[in-house]
Amino acid sequence: MPLQFDTVKQRLRGVSVGLLTPFDGDGEITHWQIEENAQEHYRKGIRTYLTAANISEFHSLSQQERVGVTETSVNALPSDACVLAGVGGSTECAQDLIRQYDRIGVDAMMVMPPDHTYLHEQGVLEYYRRLAAVTETPLVPYVRGFDPTVEFLLDLSRMESVAGIKYALDDPVKLGTATTRGPDDVVWVDGLAEPYAVSYWAEGVEGFSAGVSNFRPEVGLALFDALSDENWSRARELRDICLPYQQFRDEPGQDNAIPGAVSVPAVKQGLELAGMYGGTVREPICPLTEPEVEQAKTLYNQLDDDISQLIE
């Protein structure tokens, strides 16, 4: 039984961990590894999960693969876990995906950033309305990749179907204006992970999606507690121990000039180093090179030492 609307909002007030999609050497999905990762995260205290999401390589999955990894995730977790499933593409494809997710029993639809070259704010809002028309499951729009006005954000926050907004724009002023002028009952989630959690908390976010916490969830949980207690000095310390690995994720990688190209394989490497399952990646993402693997190991070891001193 999916969670109630208010319970979904409550779960968004926390740490949202991405369930990455592990592929084997032939590019096939290893579903049992998704299951074990999800259960390990639950044992460590995570209650909110993103499946078939951006970090799950949504755009490299077929429609049925999106449904498959989501069904695996839902079935792997207890009923009190909150599973948000990625939705995107054309209106018809997204509606079809929503209907299939509803049959599985997901708790919320995370609407992926619109990937059309030419966007109109009113068209994007209509897209959300048409998705909401085929489900009673709450929507959580993921705002990233375009620069909307504050009025767009306010219109979005006032939709009855929207439980929360995952805000992944590098603009705290716009965020603060929207949270101040918008309704109080919509949950704003920091979509830029731990590095922005402290500053965006001051602007009105009540939860954040994981970066380093995808493979070391204790960091995110401790950071959320510090933010909730307004223990700013501890929150900054916890944020800072995440920064070196997060900065590594921003790098373009070898023979490439596009920032962030190593982001997903870097997290998958972190999962492997933490004793969980990452697997390889699919194109258009490239796996880490050997020097990058060694760099990830060095950064992970430093992270592990910092966690031992600050948390454990």
Side-chain angles (χ1 to χ4, degrees):
M1 176 73 69
L3 300 176
Q4 296 297 311
F5 199 95
D6 285 344
T7 306
V8 170
K9 290 195 291 187
Q10 182 182 358
R11 290 288 186 271
L12 292 173
R13 297 182 178 101
V15 186
S16 302
V17 163
L19 292 175
L20 281 74
T21 307
F23 303 108
D24 64 19
D26 297 320
E28 298 299 317
I29 299 170
T30 48
H31 284 265
W32 67 271
Q33 293 181 338
I34 299 174
E35 179 179 326
E36 292 202 7
N37 282 352
Q39 291 170 349
E40 178 64 13
H41 279 120
Y42 188 89
R43 282 192 290 270
K44 291 185 175 181
I46 297 297
R47 294 296 179 267
T48 307
Y49 302 82
L50 311 176
T51 182
N54 197 35
I55 200 168
S56 313
E57 299 178 70
F58 175 89
H59 296 287
S60 297
L61 301 175
S62 71
Q63 193 87 328
Q64 286 310 117
E65 285 176 330
R66 293 165 186 163
V67 175
V69 298
T70 298
E71 186 168 21
T72 296
S73 303
V74 170
N75 290 342
L77 291 162
S79 60
D80 65 330
C82 181
V83 178
L84 288 75
V87 172
S90 70
T91 301
E92 183 177 351
C93 286
Q95 288 176 334
D96 174 67
L97 197 52
I98 285 171
R99 293 185 183 100
Q100 294 193 66
Y101 285 159
D102 274 338
R103 286 194 286 271
I104 293 168
V106 303
D107 301 295
M109 309 293 173
M110 188 175 70
V111 186
M112 300 296 290
D115 56 3
H116 201 290
T117 304
Y118 307 105
L119 295 175
H120 191 295
E121 288 187 337
Q122 297 308 310
V124 177
L125 291 170
E126 180 60 20
Y127 179 69
Y128 295 137
R129 292 187 192 103
R130 293 188 65 183
L131 299 191
V134 300
T135 185
E136 295 182 359
T137 304
L139 304 184
V140 179
Y142 183 6
V143 179
R144 185 175 192 148
F146 67 112
D147 188 21
T149 62
V150 170
E151 293 304 320
F152 171 90
L153 295 173
L154 293 174
D155 288 341
L156 184 58
S157 68
R158 292 175 183 133
M159 288 186 178
E160 291 185 3
S161 58
V162 171
I165 297 172
K166 184 178 178 182
Y167 182 91
L169 305 177
D170 187 6
D171 190 339
V173 175
K174 183 173 290 185
L175 170 64
T177 305
T179 58
T180 299
R181 293 174 53 191
D184 294 334
D185 60 344
V186 169
V187 181
W188 291 83
V189 177
D190 158 31
L192 295 175
E194 299 93 354
Y196 287 79
V198 178
S199 57
Y200 278 17
W201 196 272
E203 299 294 351
V205 304
E206 299 179 271
F208 58 90
S209 59
V212 164
S213 305
N214 283 301
F215 52 87
R216 294 302 298 262
E218 62 269 42
V219 177
L221 293 169
L223 176 56
F224 178 76
D225 287 343
L227 292 168
S228 299
D229 294 339
E230 299 185 1
N231 187 341
W232 307 119
S233 60
R234 178 166 172 77
R236 286 190 290 269
E237 285 182 308
L238 291 161
R239 174 203 61 195
D240 289 349
I241 70 172
C242 297
L243 289 180
Y245 207 100
Q246 283 294 103
Q247 290 164 348
F248 171 55
R249 290 184 63 198
D250 290 336
E251 294 181 9
Q254 184 174 310
D255 300 324
N256 175 57
I258 303 172
V262 305
S263 181
V264 172
V267 174
K268 287 191 166 186
Q269 183 64 34
L271 285 165
E272 296 284 348
L273 292 167
M276 291 186 278
Y277 301 100
T280 187
V281 294
R282 279 183 181 170
E283 68 285 348
I285 300 174
C286 285
L288 298 181
T289 62
E290 282 302 318
E292 289 164 348
V293 169
E294 292 305 312
Q295 184 179 358
K297 289 178 181 178
T298 299
L299 292 169
Y300 181 89
N301 289 337
Q302 181 60 58
L303 174 69
D304 191 54
D305 290 343
D306 291 339
I307 288 173
S308 297
Q309 294 176 26
L310 198 57
I311 299 175
E312 298 173 354

